[in-house]
Amino acid sequence: DTGVSQDPRHKITKRGQNVTFRCDPISEHNRLYWYRQTLGQGPEFLTYFQNEAQLEKSRLLSDRFSAERPKGSFSTLEIQRTEQGDSAMYLCASSLVDNGANVLTFGAGSRLTVL
Amino acid sequence: GESVGLHLPTLSVQEGDNSIINCAYSNSASDYFIWYKQESGKGPQFIIDIRSNMDKRQGQRVTVLLNKTVKHLSLQIAATQPGDSAVYFCAETSYGKLTFGQGTILTVHP
């Protein structure tokens, strides 16, 4: 297993365009998380899945954002009609909850720049 | 809402010194805490965790202390090395999601 993979690593787009990020979690993990991180800040929670069910969404996740995990494996995060304020690092993480412990393993992130 | 914060945004130490990074949390219902290290251009990397029924946990060169009375968490790094230079985040879990603090930048001078 090579850990959590994210694609693309970098994306530059013009305002108003749609973008999609993909995350491939660690195969035996049942939870998958999306976070957003801006420079100098800690990661901010966006949403998470347990298997294919989306269990929680942050208020940060406006209606322009949608995340899916159709078969309980990989996930996609789509941002429609991008705005300059969407520029950030989008981090994916996965975990396997074990006896109360929930260690998230993060990918390297997908950096979005909206011009 | 609940938040996790850090007292010191930056910490500079000499190689070989011990480092202490502090964190305050506000959600008294939090039952699990994690320290992460993040290097430039990379995602956060797990360092050590601790459950709320413990006061102290030790790893290799790292120790986490939890004081539930004052809702305080600390990370101690022994014999700090240049490779320890990074941003360190504490995080707490409740109801499935992980909430991160702002982070402390640790710089280790050779």
Side-chain angles (χ1 to χ4, degrees):
Chain A
D1 191 359
T2 56
V4 178
S5 299
Q6 293 190 244
D7 183 71
R9 291 292 313 279
H10 304 275
K11 179 69 177 179
I12 300 173
T13 191
K14 293 183 179 179
R15 187 177 52 187
Q17 298 296 305
N18 299 342
V19 296
T20 299
F21 301 114
R22 176 182 169 120
C23 173
D24 287 274
I26 293 172
S27 56
E28 60 266 28
H29 286 182
N30 60 350
R31 285 193 179 177
L32 187 148
Y33 297 75
W34 286 101
Y35 282 80
R36 179 172 67 188
Q37 186 176 29
T38 53
L39 193 63
Q41 301 295 317
E44 296 176 299
F45 170 78
L46 294 178
T47 188
Y48 87 96
F49 295 83
Q50 179 152 312
N51 300 314
E52 63 272 14
Q54 190 172 18
L55 296 189
E56 186 174 351
K57 292 194 298 184
S58 166
R59 289 187 296 271
L60 294 174
L61 213 64
S62 75
D63 57 4
R64 296 185 297 106
F65 287 69
S66 62
E68 296 182 345
R69 194 183 185 199
K71 298 181 180 179
S73 56
F74 75 92
S75 175
T76 58
L77 176 68
E78 181 183 19
I79 308 174
Q80 296 181 327
R81 306 181 301 282
T82 53
E83 301 172 356
Q84 289 184 326
D86 297 331
S87 295
M89 177 75 83
Y90 290 85
L91 293 163
C92 177
S94 67
S95 71
L96 179 65
V97 178
D98 180 15
N99 194 25
N102 185 23
V103 176
L104 275 63
T105 300
F106 284 84
S110 293
R111 180 168 296 283
L112 173 65
T113 302
V114 182
L115 302 176
Chain B
E2 292 83 13
S3 65
V4 180
L6 296 172
H7 294 301
L8 301 174
T10 62
L11 178 64
S12 293
V13 300
Q14 291 296 126
E15 182 178 2
D17 288 351
N18 296 333
S19 302
I20 299 176
I21 300 172
N22 296 302
C23 173
Y25 65 94
S26 59
N27 185 358
S28 57
S30 298
D31 58 2
Y32 182 60
F33 303 87
I34 305 177
W35 280 99
Y36 281 90
K37 171 187 180 182
Q38 188 172 26
E39 297 173 292
S40 181
K42 298 182 179 179
Q45 178 185 5
F46 170 85
I47 300 173
I48 192 167
D49 60 352
I50 188 167
R51 299 174 191 267
S52 60
N53 62 354
M54 301 171 68
D55 298 325
K56 179 180 179 179
R57 190 167 189 215
Q58 289 184 293
Q60 188 176 13
R61 286 201 305 117
V62 294
T63 300
V64 55
L65 299 177
L66 175 63
N67 185 331
K68 295 180 289 295
T69 302
V70 295
K71 291 186 283 188
H72 184 267
L73 196 66
S74 69
L75 176 70
Q76 301 177 359
I77 305 173
T80 316
Q81 302 168 0
D84 294 327
S85 294
V87 181
Y88 289 80
F89 295 98
C90 65
E92 56 95 1
T93 65
S94 60
Y95 308 112
K97 71 182 184 185
L98 200 64
T99 301
F100 284 82
Q102 187 176 10
T104 292
I105 301 171
L106 175 65
T107 303
V108 182
H109 300 284

